[in-house]
Amino acid sequence: MADPAMSMTPYWELVFDADGDPESRLRDRLLAGVAERGVRDLIVFAHGWNNDRSGATRLYDRFFAPVPRLAPAARIGYVGVLWPAMRFADEPIPDFPRAVAADLPGRPVLDKDTRHALLETFPGRAILVDQIARLLEQQPPEEAELEEFGRLVRTLVEVVAPGPQALFAADTVAEGVPQSEPEMFAGPSAAACEEFARALAEFEAPGPPQGFRIPNPWDGAHELLRQATYYAMKRRAGTVGERGLGRVVGQLAKAAPGVRVHLVGHSFGARLVSFALRGLPEGVRSVKSVTLLQGAFSHYAFAARLPHDARAGGVLQGQQNRVDGPLVCCHSRHDAALGTIYPLASRMAGDSRSAAEPVLGRVLGAKWGALGHDGVQAVPGTRAYTLAEALKARLPATGCVNVDAAAVVRRGGPPAGAHSDILHAELARLVLAAGRVR
């Protein structure tokens, strides 16, 4: 149980390892406790990039602080999902003071907090982390050193056999086409670093260039490390969702069949709870709503066919039908990380022709965009609301629902923009509205 001073009560935690295996003692405590406490609506929240239990718990507590006031008669229980993700120290988290975040070291040096996070996230690879940190600090001018940097990063994030994570990296799947190694790992590392550096320069200083300046490829090298790490977290989120959380929700349906489950996820946590739908046992209909907050995965993930390739579909196509209620996707045009760097990294991870395409632009975003930036795409029947409209309307009983949350999800600066700006009572109200929790 959580600290009694917390606003969430009753509260349980589910802890998963990188392969989706739960800590059995905590899982069993949840399965027994939900029935004992007479819970009717169970809200399950999965964090995104975060490598600290106390930070995740503070996020959950602050996000749900308004709930007792908004639904005083509801019998609500809360679950915090803890999984081995990580955060670079120069990225904001929802309840971290902005003044402190602004004082953290920037690119390209690997600060001590990020180095520690890498060691925690990729255990047993301390030598690799030290070598990566040394190159980022020295910034040697030779192209061969950038290639060596790319090799070290690729080795750091590769899946250790025989783990299942390699099966969970795709967002879209083409018929008969096996997934290959991402181009950002398999192609020339120097070219990838230069492309990321150009994207960062445009992202941080939009508009006409003020004089001629060649971006530093080592800025791009730091971003390559970041995106490679995110690619590993992307695999983990899918693994933990399907093999871990989905199975636990199935066990909960047997232990407490009357409990209504509401899944909530932020960033990669949105990916995690979405993949949990794929892991639900056949016939389980206990998930009554899903709310995705600034989801960091493809806006085509739920599509049966892609607009630019009729042979391919989203890796989660049809999974919204496993929800006995709506799948609500919150998005914001102010989320610069998902609107700029995410599509670039996604294109570089999945298209060998990446060097021939523009770095930024609407075409790139349309093909490789994230649903946290512009919502679920290419799913017929998807309804769209502003946040104000969604809070006034009775949301659809089923199917995908896009909610433009730009009115509140708007604050933040590089590198994440508004990505972590989710601590708003309106979003907590939306979770309750999606699940019809009263």
Side-chain angles (χ1 to χ4, degrees):
M1 290 289 180
D3 186 318
M6 296 177 64
S7 61
M8 300 179 296
T9 183
Y11 171 72
W12 297 269
E13 288 180 348
L14 283 174
V15 177
F16 297 95
D17 67 16
D19 290 334
D21 294 322
E23 185 176 319
S24 58
R25 178 180 57 86
L26 294 176
R27 177 202 59 201
D28 294 345
R29 183 182 297 175
L30 167 68
L31 297 180
V34 167
E36 291 173 1
R37 298 295 294 266
V39 171
R40 180 173 185 269
D41 290 282
L42 187 69
I43 304 176
V44 182
F45 199 142
H47 63 78
W49 53 51
N50 197 323
N51 63 325
D52 177 75
R53 176 190 175 275
S54 62
T57 305
R58 287 196 308 272
L59 164 63
Y60 302 152
D61 187 47
R62 291 190 62 187
F63 184 88
F64 289 117
V67 169
R69 171 176 53 82
L70 296 172
R75 302 197 309 274
I76 300 175
Y78 305 87
V79 175
V81 175
L82 302 173
W83 61 288
M86 74 159 282
R87 177 185 64 87
F88 276 64
D90 60 345
E91 294 161 348
I93 54 178
D95 64 344
F96 204 67
R98 295 182 187 280
V100 176
D103 290 338
L104 293 171
R107 292 184 310 272
V109 175
L110 196 65
D111 62 273
K112 63 178 179 143
D113 290 336
T114 299
R115 186 187 302 209
H116 177 73
L118 286 169
L119 293 172
E120 290 286 314
T121 306
F122 304 102
R125 303 189 183 183
I127 294 176
L128 277 173
V129 172
D130 286 344
Q131 291 173 317
I132 288 169
R134 191 177 306 116
L135 283 173
L136 282 173
E137 182 177 356
Q138 296 173 349
Q139 300 184 50
E142 297 85 0
E143 184 174 302
E145 298 298 334
L146 284 169
E147 296 299 333
E148 172 63 7
F149 180 85
R151 184 190 70 80
L152 293 172
V153 169
R154 180 167 59 248
T155 305
L156 175 70
V157 303
E158 67 185 359
V159 175
V160 178
Q165 295 183 46
L167 303 174
F168 294 93
D171 276 359
T172 57
V173 180
E175 296 176 2
V177 180
Q179 186 179 1
S180 59
E181 186 179 34
E183 179 68 16
M184 77 168 91
F185 304 155
S189 296
C193 292
E194 290 169 359
E195 190 162 4
F196 274 126
R198 289 194 299 270
L200 286 167
E202 184 169 338
F203 170 47
E204 295 177 355
Q210 302 297 315
F212 180 76
R213 175 181 175 270
I214 299 175
N216 180 3
W218 284 101
D219 284 356
H222 188 278
E223 189 64 28
L224 177 67
L225 172 62
R226 188 197 306 269
Q227 295 301 333
T229 303
Y230 290 171
Y231 190 80
M233 295 306 99
K234 176 179 174 180
R235 293 186 308 229
R236 284 188 185 178
T239 306
V240 173
E242 182 168 334
R243 293 172 55 89
L245 182 58
R247 293 176 179 178
V248 172
V249 172
Q251 293 166 347
L252 182 64
K254 288 186 177 181
V259 172
R260 308 168 74 248
V261 176
H262 311 281
L263 302 179
V264 183
H266 171 238
S267 188
F268 280 133
R271 180 183 180 85
L272 190 157
V273 299
S274 297
F275 270 79
L277 300 174
R278 250 182 24 172
L280 291 177
E282 191 67 31
V284 170
R285 302 292 294 174
S286 59
V287 176
K288 302 302 179 181
S289 69
V290 175
T291 305
L292 310 179
L293 304 170
Q294 301 311 115
F297 60 108
S298 173
H299 55 195
Y300 294 133
F302 295 97
R305 290 291 180 267
L306 306 186
H308 54 274
D309 185 355
R311 301 171 303 161
V315 72
L316 295 171
Q317 57 182 281
Q319 293 304 315
Q320 66 271 22
N321 298 324
R322 303 297 306 275
V323 185
D324 191 24
L327 184 145
V328 177
C329 173
C330 292
H331 60 92
S332 172
R333 63 184 180 276
H334 302 300
D335 192 331
L338 296 185
T340 301
I341 301 299
Y342 176 89
L344 172 62
S346 297
R347 181 255 287 179
M348 292 179 72
D351 189 348
S352 61
R353 297 168 296 171
S354 62
E357 294 184 4
V359 172
L360 302 174
R362 294 184 180 278
V363 173
L364 181 61
K367 186 174 181 181
W368 300 105
L371 47 72
H373 186 255
D374 59 4
V376 173
Q377 301 294 314
V379 176
T382 298
R383 300 284 297 276
Y385 300 86
T386 65
L387 180 57
E389 291 169 343
L391 294 177
K392 291 179 180 178
R394 184 177 177 86
L395 293 177
T398 59
C400 294
V401 180
N402 285 332
V403 175
D404 184 348
V408 297
V409 180
R410 58 185 303 115
R411 297 190 304 272
H419 186 67
S420 294
D421 187 21
I422 62 168
L423 292 176
H424 299 281
E426 293 91 339
L427 297 180
R429 286 177 57 198
L430 183 65
V431 171
L432 299 178
R436 300 186 179 179
V437 179
R438 302 176 180 84

